[in-house]
Amino acid sequence: MNILISGGSGFLGSAFSDEIMARYRAQDKALHITWLTRDSSQVHPSDIEMMTYDELASSDKSFEVILNLAGAGIADSRWSDARKEQLMASRIKPTESLLAFIKRTSIKPKLMVSGSAIGWYGTQGDKPLTESSGFETDFAHLLCDEWEQLALTATEYSVPVAIVRTGVVIHPDGGMLGKLLTPFKMGVGGQLGDGQQIMSWVSREDWIGAAIFIIEQHLDSHASRQTTHENTLQTTNDTTAVVYNLTAPNPVNNHTFTKTLGSWLHRPTFFTLPNFLLKLMFGEMSTLLIDGQKVLPQALQSAGYEFQHPTLKQALEEQKS
């Protein structure tokens, strides 16, 4: 199988590449991975090929799967107008390049898996949200929705699309947990706001496992298509388009997350950052910390995916602190 990955060197893309290569080698299956990059001199594993976006524009290579993960971190800095434009462009431009390749190539990919986030649902408190749920409009929704709608254009060229709406990814190597480790280890970690906001999380191992599961389920011609009306998206033709929530089945509130993380690190969690201070520190972006979302992986579970880490305690206990 040939896989093309945008954002391949990132927190998810690099770990996905390592895991799927290890699995396929163990099973003596052929696998070739190409990372899209804007810098051809970027350091990368020797068994991964690099391709620039300029090279993609004229490439005649074929890929069975495209994994579209490129995008600046939504929580990396305050949402100024310039930052919002950067967040949008970092997702839209790579996706446009992939769509131009799909349109031009004579051998179409069998599947495009395109990133998104549970921010698509907007702020909805502790209301359970599945793939068939509606949304509340805010910046996070608009960002995710524009990215998703563009990715769905691939179906116009008869390329099936799977949208993956990712929750907070848990792993010490990066993401939110990576940022929290230092203050928590120093004993100054604590609750955000009133601590009742729901956090829909997923271990990085389960994110990778679910992504591989989705790819293999789709490419297996002998397997029934794991789609239902609940997670099927409307397209202009009969080409398949589906959405999956990549979250663990047991979301927790911030209070529970804080206590669980402190217990794992054997550190106190006495501190609390009140809402007004979070808003002062982070501006509009503070909604990611203050407002919760209870997003559930209904489609994944209905399709038969079994979580390695269904609880936060399990996800943390398998990591090195």
Side-chain angles (χ1 to χ4, degrees):
M1 176 164 56
N2 285 343
I3 303 179
L4 177 66
I5 307 177
S6 68
S9 62
F11 173 57
L12 293 176
S14 59
F16 170 89
S17 300
D18 290 342
E19 176 62 21
I20 195 170
M21 281 194 294
R23 289 193 191 189
Y24 275 54
R25 283 172 180 162
Q27 300 169 24
D28 289 326
K29 291 182 179 179
L31 177 71
H32 185 82
I33 294 178
T34 301
W35 286 355
L36 269 179
T37 180
R38 299 197 181 283
D39 180 8
S40 59
S41 63
Q42 182 182 34
V43 176
H44 61 281
S46 59
D47 47 5
I48 288 177
E49 183 177 344
M50 302 294 278
M51 176 184 288
T52 66
Y53 283 89
D54 288 341
E55 290 170 338
L56 179 69
S58 58
S59 175
D60 59 359
K61 293 186 177 181
S62 63
F63 301 95
E64 289 177 84
V65 175
I66 292 177
L67 183 56
N68 181 27
L69 300 177
I74 191 170
D76 287 353
S77 62
R78 289 174 66 103
W79 291 349
S80 64
D81 289 343
R83 179 59 177 173
K84 286 181 177 180
E85 291 180 5
Q86 182 183 17
L87 289 171
M88 190 71 75
S90 68
R91 289 157 173 76
I92 298 304
K93 290 182 178 179
T95 305
E96 287 176 337
S97 295
L98 290 171
L99 290 169
F101 168 76
I102 288 171
K103 180 180 180 180
R104 179 179 55 79
T105 187
S106 58
I107 303 176
K108 307 297 184 188
K110 295 179 180 178
L111 178 67
M112 178 175 176
V113 179
S114 195
S116 185
I118 59 173
W120 184 91
Y121 297 101
T123 301
Q124 301 200 49
D126 59 359
K127 175 184 177 181
L129 302 171
T130 68
E131 288 82 358
S132 61
S133 297
F135 60 86
E136 294 293 330
T137 302
D138 56 17
F139 172 68
H141 166 76
L142 295 174
L143 176 67
C144 294
D145 192 57
E146 186 159 344
W147 194 15
E148 289 187 16
Q149 293 304 316
L150 182 61
L152 289 173
T153 305
T155 62
E156 297 177 9
Y157 310 116
S158 300
V159 175
V161 174
I163 300 291
V164 290
R165 293 176 183 158
T166 299
V168 176
V169 181
I170 298 296
H171 195 278
D173 285 353
M176 188 179 89
L177 183 59
K179 294 176 181 178
L180 290 177
L181 284 182
T182 297
F184 268 75
K185 285 181 177 180
M186 294 174 64
V188 294
Q191 179 176 295
L192 302 180
D194 64 10
Q196 296 309 300
Q197 65 273 35
I198 303 295
M199 187 179 84
S200 297
W201 61 276
V202 65
S203 71
R204 189 169 69 171
E205 292 83 356
D206 269 317
W207 189 96
I208 294 166
I212 295 173
F213 176 84
I214 291 166
I215 290 169
E216 293 185 339
Q217 283 288 306
H218 181 87
L219 296 185
D220 184 356
S221 60
H222 299 293
S224 59
R225 288 287 179 260
Q226 300 296 331
T227 61
T228 67
H229 69 277
E230 287 87 1
N231 76 318
T232 299
L233 300 173
Q234 186 174 2
T235 62
T236 58
N237 53 31
D238 293 331
T239 304
T240 300
V242 292
V243 60
Y244 292 91
N245 292 333
L246 265 59
T247 57
N250 295 292
V252 297
N253 63 26
N254 179 260
H255 175 79
T256 299
F257 173 80
T258 300
K259 294 303 180 183
T260 305
L261 182 56
S263 175
W264 173 58
L265 293 172
H266 307 292
R267 294 292 188 276
T269 54
F270 300 134
F271 293 89
T272 295
L273 282 175
N275 285 350
F276 81 88
L277 185 57
L278 291 168
K279 290 178 181 179
L280 184 65
M281 293 170 61
F282 300 106
E284 185 182 356
M285 194 189 76
S286 64
T287 185
L288 299 178
L289 306 174
I290 296 171
D291 301 314
Q293 293 172 307
K294 188 176 184 179
V295 181
L296 303 174
Q298 179 174 289
L300 269 178
Q301 292 185 301
S302 295
Y305 179 74
E306 296 184 6
F307 282 84
Q308 301 175 56
H309 306 136
T311 70
L312 181 63
K313 183 179 180 182
Q314 289 172 311
L316 291 175
E317 284 179 346
E318 292 199 17
Q319 310 299 337
K320 294 180 179 180
S321 60

